[in-house]
mmCIF file of all heavy atoms in Angstrom:
data_model
loop_
_atom_site.group_PDB
_atom_site.id
_atom_site.type_symbol
_atom_site.label_atom_id
_atom_site.label_comp_id
_atom_site.label_asym_id
_atom_site.label_seq_id
_atom_site.Cartn_x
_atom_site.Cartn_y
_atom_site.Cartn_z
ATOM 1 N N PHE A 46 98.679 118.839 92.799
ATOM 2 C CA PHE A 46 98.666 119.667 91.678
ATOM 3 C C PHE A 46 98.206 119.050 90.263
ATOM 4 O O PHE A 46 97.550 119.568 89.524
ATOM 5 C CB PHE A 46 99.985 120.263 91.538
ATOM 6 C CG PHE A 46 100.304 121.119 90.404
ATOM 7 C CD1 PHE A 46 99.891 122.513 90.523
ATOM 8 C CD2 PHE A 46 100.877 120.792 89.176
ATOM 9 C CE1 PHE A 46 99.999 123.414 89.414
ATOM 10 C CE2 PHE A 46 100.991 121.691 88.081
ATOM 11 C CZ PHE A 46 100.499 122.939 88.263
ATOM 12 N N GLY A 47 98.699 117.858 90.090
ATOM 13 C CA GLY A 47 98.372 117.185 88.872
ATOM 14 C C GLY A 47 98.910 117.883 87.629
ATOM 15 O O GLY A 47 100.069 117.998 87.606
ATOM 16 N N ARG A 48 97.957 118.411 86.779
ATOM 17 C CA ARG A 48 98.366 119.161 85.580
ATOM 18 C C ARG A 48 97.986 120.686 85.802
ATOM 19 O O ARG A 48 97.871 121.425 84.914
ATOM 20 C CB ARG A 48 97.902 118.658 84.318
ATOM 21 C CG ARG A 48 98.421 117.337 84.017
ATOM 22 C CD ARG A 48 99.935 117.252 84.039
ATOM 23 N NE ARG A 48 100.622 116.120 83.623
ATOM 24 C CZ ARG A 48 100.991 115.176 84.563
ATOM 25 N NH1 ARG A 48 100.957 115.450 85.815
ATOM 26 N NH2 ARG A 48 101.669 113.981 84.156
ATOM 27 N N GLY A 49 97.489 120.966 87.148
ATOM 28 C CA GLY A 49 97.340 122.401 87.388
ATOM 29 C C GLY A 49 95.931 122.990 87.168
ATOM 30 O O GLY A 49 95.941 124.191 87.225
ATOM 31 N N GLY A 50 94.964 122.172 86.931
ATOM 32 C CA GLY A 50 93.632 122.663 86.544
ATOM 33 C C GLY A 50 93.132 123.495 87.876
ATOM 34 O O GLY A 50 92.638 124.612 87.658
ATOM 35 N N HIS A 51 93.140 122.878 89.079
ATOM 36 C CA HIS A 51 92.600 123.624 90.147
ATOM 37 C C HIS A 51 93.517 124.772 90.590
ATOM 38 O O HIS A 51 92.927 125.758 91.013
ATOM 39 C CB HIS A 51 92.491 122.569 91.302
ATOM 40 C CG HIS A 51 91.527 121.547 91.383
ATOM 41 N ND1 HIS A 51 91.734 120.318 90.932
ATOM 42 C CD2 HIS A 51 90.273 121.591 91.422
ATOM 43 C CE1 HIS A 51 90.669 119.511 90.946
ATOM 44 N NE2 HIS A 51 89.711 120.307 91.083
ATOM 45 N N ALA A 52 94.862 124.475 90.457
ATOM 46 C CA ALA A 52 95.717 125.659 90.772
ATOM 47 C C ALA A 52 95.522 126.909 90.009
ATOM 48 O O ALA A 52 95.506 128.030 90.568
ATOM 49 C CB ALA A 52 97.191 125.208 90.655
ATOM 50 N N ARG A 53 95.318 126.719 88.666
ATOM 51 C CA ARG A 53 95.033 127.961 87.783
ATOM 52 C C ARG A 53 93.720 128.548 88.116
ATOM 53 O O ARG A 53 93.718 129.840 88.159
ATOM 54 C CB ARG A 53 95.053 127.488 86.337
ATOM 55 C CG ARG A 53 96.448 127.053 85.912
ATOM 56 C CD ARG A 53 96.529 126.696 84.347
ATOM 57 N NE ARG A 53 97.909 126.330 83.902
ATOM 58 C CZ ARG A 53 98.396 125.062 83.911
ATOM 59 N NH1 ARG A 53 97.468 124.120 84.431
ATOM 60 N NH2 ARG A 53 99.534 124.742 83.542
ATOM 61 N N ALA A 54 92.735 127.812 88.462
ATOM 62 C CA ALA A 54 91.461 128.303 88.836
ATOM 63 C C ALA A 54 91.506 129.157 90.127
ATOM 64 O O ALA A 54 91.030 130.119 90.367
ATOM 65 C CB ALA A 54 90.341 127.265 88.923
ATOM 66 N N LEU A 55 92.410 128.605 91.067
ATOM 67 C CA LEU A 55 92.516 129.190 92.330
ATOM 68 C C LEU A 55 93.325 130.503 92.197
ATOM 69 O O LEU A 55 92.958 131.566 92.607
ATOM 70 C CB LEU A 55 93.280 128.295 93.326
ATOM 71 C CG LEU A 55 93.133 128.568 94.681
ATOM 72 C CD1 LEU A 55 93.371 127.265 95.565
ATOM 73 C CD2 LEU A 55 94.030 129.653 95.243
ATOM 74 N N LEU A 56 94.376 130.506 91.309
ATOM 75 C CA LEU A 56 95.169 131.654 91.060
ATOM 76 C C LEU A 56 94.336 132.790 90.398
ATOM 77 O O LEU A 56 94.648 133.996 90.660
ATOM 78 C CB LEU A 56 96.299 131.432 90.094
ATOM 79 C CG LEU A 56 97.547 130.611 90.693
ATOM 80 C CD1 LEU A 56 98.474 130.072 89.705
ATOM 81 C CD2 LEU A 56 98.341 131.436 91.757
ATOM 82 N N ASN A 57 93.468 132.499 89.633
ATOM 83 C CA ASN A 57 92.567 133.434 88.944
ATOM 84 C C ASN A 57 91.763 134.257 89.959
ATOM 85 O O ASN A 57 91.393 135.379 89.667
ATOM 86 C CB ASN A 57 91.552 132.819 88.060
ATOM 87 C CG ASN A 57 92.270 132.327 86.665
ATOM 88 O OD1 ASN A 57 93.389 132.874 86.485
ATOM 89 N ND2 ASN A 57 91.596 131.363 86.015
ATOM 90 N N GLN A 58 91.608 133.722 91.101
ATOM 91 C CA GLN A 58 90.763 134.392 92.157
ATOM 92 C C GLN A 58 91.649 135.169 93.298
ATOM 93 O O GLN A 58 91.212 135.801 94.092
ATOM 94 C CB GLN A 58 89.829 133.473 92.878
ATOM 95 C CG GLN A 58 88.750 132.973 91.922
ATOM 96 C CD GLN A 58 87.619 132.257 92.782
ATOM 97 O OE1 GLN A 58 87.272 132.653 93.813
ATOM 98 N NE2 GLN A 58 87.114 131.258 92.085
ATOM 99 N N LEU A 59 93.026 134.764 93.212
ATOM 100 C CA LEU A 59 93.934 135.438 94.021
ATOM 101 C C LEU A 59 94.388 136.767 93.615
ATOM 102 O O LEU A 59 94.552 136.961 92.374
ATOM 103 C CB LEU A 59 95.140 134.564 94.353
ATOM 104 C CG LEU A 59 95.048 133.351 95.289
ATOM 105 C CD1 LEU A 59 96.344 132.645 95.294
ATOM 106 C CD2 LEU A 59 94.482 133.840 96.652
ATOM 107 N N GLY A 60 94.562 137.633 94.473
ATOM 108 C CA GLY A 60 95.229 138.999 94.102
ATOM 109 C C GLY A 60 96.737 138.934 94.036
ATOM 110 O O GLY A 60 97.265 137.976 94.268
#
Side-chain angles (χ1 to χ4, degrees):
F46 179 81
R48 293 303 178 266
H51 291 107
R53 291 183 180 89
L55 203 157
L56 285 167
N57 286 339
Q58 296 192 33
L59 282 181

